[in-house]
Amino acid sequence: TLRKGKRSMRTLALFDFDGTMAPGDSIVAYLRIARRLGALSKKEYARIGRCALKWLRGGMSDQAFKQRALLFRMTLPYPRREALDQCFAQDVLLPMVYPAARACLEKRRAEGCLTLLVSASTENYMRYVAWGLGFDGLLCTPVSSSGEVGTNCKGEEKCRRVKAYLAEQGVEADFAASYAYGNGRSDAPMLAMCGRPVLVNARFSLKRRFPHAPRERWTKKTRRPPEK
């Protein structure tokens, strides 16, 4: 957490996670691990699967699906719930982070950028990811202590969350000099907010919207230096 006080101009480095720093959809992986560890029953796993189909067809909002998907957590004793979240982040997600993503984050940190992980994934496990990677701050989909899932952190919500965080911390951002890394359409507002957007493993629609932005291909086997 940054200290509050006199406002200072900072260059930002904003990173999306799923599909950008690591492959796949983390909440899907989370449910698989919960099932494998016996924290999620076979019947409940099947019910969530049916909800996922409805969600993918547009019949359920992102927030509603995540609320339903994480409902099982509140049936677990608190220590087991926290252990599941922490183990998932440390044993599954962090090892999946692309070497090039780590190298890029390290470079921006060394340059003095304020590094923020800005993700639609849920706070219960992403807080351990942000801590493990050494980010200055985490902005993601909140989950309350009672299990309520808040507003999904995607699209324009990412920009709102970044600006609210900066205001709270008393930081003035040099957006023209700032970096943003994303792979999909929901990252477009965050990319457009920064003067140095970088498309990572980007989909065609994003390439079309940002035709002149640098493009990076991050994989588990490739350690490419970040753009200058």
Side-chain angles (χ1 to χ4, degrees), residues 14-15 43 54 59 75 79 117 121 142 150-151 155 190 193 203:
L14 310 178
F15 289 80
K43 182 181 291 186
K54 184 177 180 181
T75 68
L117 182 56
S121 295
T151 303
M190 182 177 76
M193 184 170 64
R203 298 165 188 168

Side-chain angles (χ1 to χ4, degrees), residues 77-91:
Y78 178 79
R80 189 180 185 193
R81 190 163 69 229
E82 291 298 297
L84 171 63
D85 294 342
Q86 186 172 7
C87 288
F88 172 64
Q90 293 180 347
D91 298 343

Side-chain angles (χ1 to χ4, degrees), residues 89-128:
Q90 293 180 347
D91 298 343
V92 179
L93 290 186
L94 287 174
M96 289 172 61
V97 173
Y98 300 127
R102 289 181 181 270
C104 183
L105 175 60
E106 290 167 9
K107 179 175 176 62
R108 297 301 167 227
R109 185 187 298 117
E111 292 171 346
C113 292
L114 176 63
T115 59
L116 300 178
L117 182 56
V118 190
S119 172
S121 295
T122 52
E123 183 181 13
N124 56 300
Y125 55 80
M126 287 307 295
R127 57 195 171 112
Y128 295 111

Side-chain angles (χ1 to χ4, degrees), residues 200-218:
V200 180
N201 303 336
R203 298 165 188 168
F204 177 74
S205 61
L206 203 62
K207 294 177 182 178
R208 184 170 56 186
R209 180 163 178 177
F210 298 92
H212 304 298
R215 300 174 185 177
E216 294 284 339
R217 180 69 178 169
W218 293 352

Side-chain angles (χ1 to χ4, degrees), residues 3-226:
R3 291 182 179 179
K4 298 180 182 179
K6 186 176 180 180
R7 296 177 70 84
S8 58
M9 181 75 77
R10 296 291 300 275
T11 299
L12 310 179
L14 310 178
F15 289 80
D16 171 56
F17 188 77
D18 289 9
T20 300
M21 296 193 77
D25 190 319
S26 61
I27 195 167
V28 173
Y30 178 74
L31 294 170
R32 287 174 179 162
I33 292 299
R35 174 72 192 106
R36 187 181 305 167
L37 295 177
L40 179 61
S41 70
K42 184 176 181 180
K43 182 181 291 186
E44 181 65 6
Y45 187 66
R47 288 172 180 163
I48 295 172
R50 289 192 290 272
C51 287
L53 290 175
K54 184 177 180 181
W55 167 58
L56 291 171
R57 293 167 180 163
M60 180 180 281
S61 70
D62 293 336
Q63 184 175 346
F65 172 68
K66 289 176 181 179
Q67 178 73 52
R68 179 63 186 83
L70 298 182
L71 193 61
F72 79 94
R73 289 180 68 251
M74 302 313 295
T75 68
L76 304 175
Y78 178 79
R80 189 180 185 193
R81 190 163 69 229
E82 291 298 297
L84 171 63
D85 294 342
Q86 186 172 7
C87 288
F88 172 64
Q90 293 180 347
D91 298 343
V92 179
L93 290 186
L94 287 174
M96 289 172 61
V97 173
Y98 300 127
R102 289 181 181 270
C104 183
L105 175 60
E106 290 167 9
K107 179 175 176 62
R108 297 301 167 227
R109 185 187 298 117
E111 292 171 346
C113 292
L114 176 63
T115 59
L116 300 178
L117 182 56
V118 190
S119 172
S121 295
T122 52
E123 183 181 13
N124 56 300
Y125 55 80
M126 287 307 295
R127 57 195 171 112
Y128 295 111
V129 173
W131 180 84
L133 292 173
F135 276 96
D136 292 312
L138 168 65
L139 305 172
C140 62
T141 300
V143 180
S144 72
S145 58
S146 62
E148 290 295 320
V149 175
T151 303
N152 200 45
C153 187
K154 67 183 290 187
E156 293 292 346
E157 182 64 17
K158 289 195 171 190
C159 298
R160 286 191 285 269
R161 293 289 301 279
V162 169
K163 291 175 181 177
Y165 177 86
L166 296 174
E168 179 184 344
Q169 299 297 333
V171 175
E172 184 177 354
D174 183 353
F175 282 108
S178 293
Y179 299 88
Y181 299 84
N183 74 302
R185 184 170 52 186
S186 64
D187 299 316
M190 182 177 76
L191 292 165
M193 184 170 64
C194 296
R196 295 172 172 175
V198 181
L199 312 186
V200 180
N201 303 336
R203 298 165 188 168
F204 177 74
S205 61
L206 203 62
K207 294 177 182 178
R208 184 170 56 186
R209 180 163 178 177
F210 298 92
H212 304 298
R215 300 174 185 177
E216 294 284 339
R217 180 69 178 169
W218 293 352
T219 70
K220 288 298 292 182
K221 295 181 180 180
T222 305
R223 186 182 180 91
R224 294 178 58 186

